[in-house]
DNA sequence: TCCTACAATAGACAATGTCTAAGTCAAGCA
DNA sequence: TGCTTGACTTAGACATTGTCTATTGTAGGA
């Protein structure tokens, strides 16, 4: 993620304190924060940052393909900075913990042509649900 | 779905006009309505029905296992009456059309133990995304 | 038919997300 | 270094989706 700022700058992204802080918050493995959580953490580093800016910046990062929107939670969207390695998600039904996982094979292959209804399929999203060791 | 009302009555579900109407609205193949859409259609049949009742009834049907909550849409939950045959969903990225699909194999098998992080996995949700023939 | 517990209602409230108008500032350029 | 400009940020109103509560209504049994 440290080179994210470089990549963005290289793409002509205007660098501001707010954008830098949002990008910094989205750093690490197994990070899946909601927009509100991102805002809460960003405020610690930059108290003036507004909610709208966090939403805007997250939206831009998603458009740029640097961050993935994840819908594991029924309430709020979550943002996953691990956009450059394809992966799926494993969610604890009790505490909501989320892990990135890497299944074997291509999940697309499991869908025969007869089940594609003429669609041109471009993406598959898989969410495994269960109970994590802490909650078991 | 015609026997849904029978099944519910058999389980001691108190039958009311509102509940009957909600159940009737959720009839058919490839039905994936939002709560609001269910309400809109229910109002046609029973103008007095309230939003809260639709939400309550949908929640009860989900608890009873007669209807499945689907999160293909980032905005609102959708309700799928096809609860008795396991299936996954295929969504058009343009128009939002949703089809029930039946992939081959068990998607659970694709996740090796080393990728389970000690979780006890009970469920997998797969959403295929693409463009439908109408939008292509 | 009458009772009673369960269901439905209206509307307030909560959570999440979007939009707008006005002010601010990063980055290029003289 | 000091302008200029258009992109960025802000506060807060608004929209959408969903939940809760107090009150009223009613299904189904006695």
């Amino acid at each position: 993620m440290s080179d994210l700022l470089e990549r963005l700058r290289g793409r002509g992204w205007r660098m501001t304190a707010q954008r830098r802080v949002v990008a910094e918050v989205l750093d690490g493995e197994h990070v899946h924060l909601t927009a509100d959580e991102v805002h809460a953490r960003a405020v610690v580093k930059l108290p003036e940052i507004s909610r709208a800016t966090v939403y805007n910046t997250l939206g831009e990062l998603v458009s740029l393909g640097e961050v993935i929107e994840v819908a594991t939670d029924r309430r709020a969207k979550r943002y996953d900075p691990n956009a450059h390695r394809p992966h799926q998600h494993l969610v604890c039904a009790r505490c909501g913990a989320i892990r990135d996982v890497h299944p074997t094979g291509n999940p697309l292959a499991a869908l025969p042509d007869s089940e594609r209804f003429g669609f041109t399929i471009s993406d598959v999203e898989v969410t495994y649900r269960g109970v994590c060791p802490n909650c078991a």
Side-chain angles (χ1 to χ4, degrees), chain A:
Chain A
M1 199 70 177
S2 54
D3 35 29
L4 169 60
L5 296 178
E6 293 314 311
R7 278 206 301 281
L8 294 173
R9 207 188 295 267
R11 294 211 218 172
W13 215 47
R14 185 164 137 187
M15 191 47 57
T16 67
Q18 291 83 352
R19 287 173 167 189
R20 186 178 42 73
V21 165
V22 169
E24 283 172 4
V25 166
L26 286 173
D27 189 11
E29 287 293 311
H30 302 291
V31 170
H32 307 88
L33 300 170
T34 64
D36 231 43
E37 287 164 354
V38 172
H39 181 238
R41 298 189 187 197
V43 160
V44 173
K45 299 180 177 220
L46 188 70
E48 305 75 25
I49 195 169
S50 78
R51 246 162 38 92
T53 296
V54 170
Y55 276 99
N56 288 341
T57 306
L58 289 172
E60 284 157 16
L61 288 170
V62 170
S63 302
L64 291 169
E66 295 290 348
V67 165
I68 290 173
E69 250 180 40
V70 183
T72 56
D73 189 313
R74 289 261 157 35
R75 289 180 27 237
K77 293 177 201 168
R78 292 183 174 275
Y79 295 89
D80 181 345
N82 186 8
H84 295 296
R85 213 176 314 279
H87 65 280
Q88 310 299 344
H89 293 102
L90 170 54
V91 182
C92 176
R94 301 244 176 95
C95 69
I98 303 173
R99 311 290 310 208
D100 290 355
V101 294
H102 302 82
T104 59
N106 180 1
L108 255 179
L111 197 63
D113 273 349
S114 61
E115 284 287 312
R116 297 195 179 198
F117 295 96
F119 279 55
T120 306
I121 301 178
S122 53
D123 191 31
V124 198
E125 204 176 293
V126 182
T127 305
Y128 298 90
R129 293 181 193 282
V131 178
C132 75
N134 286 342
C135 292

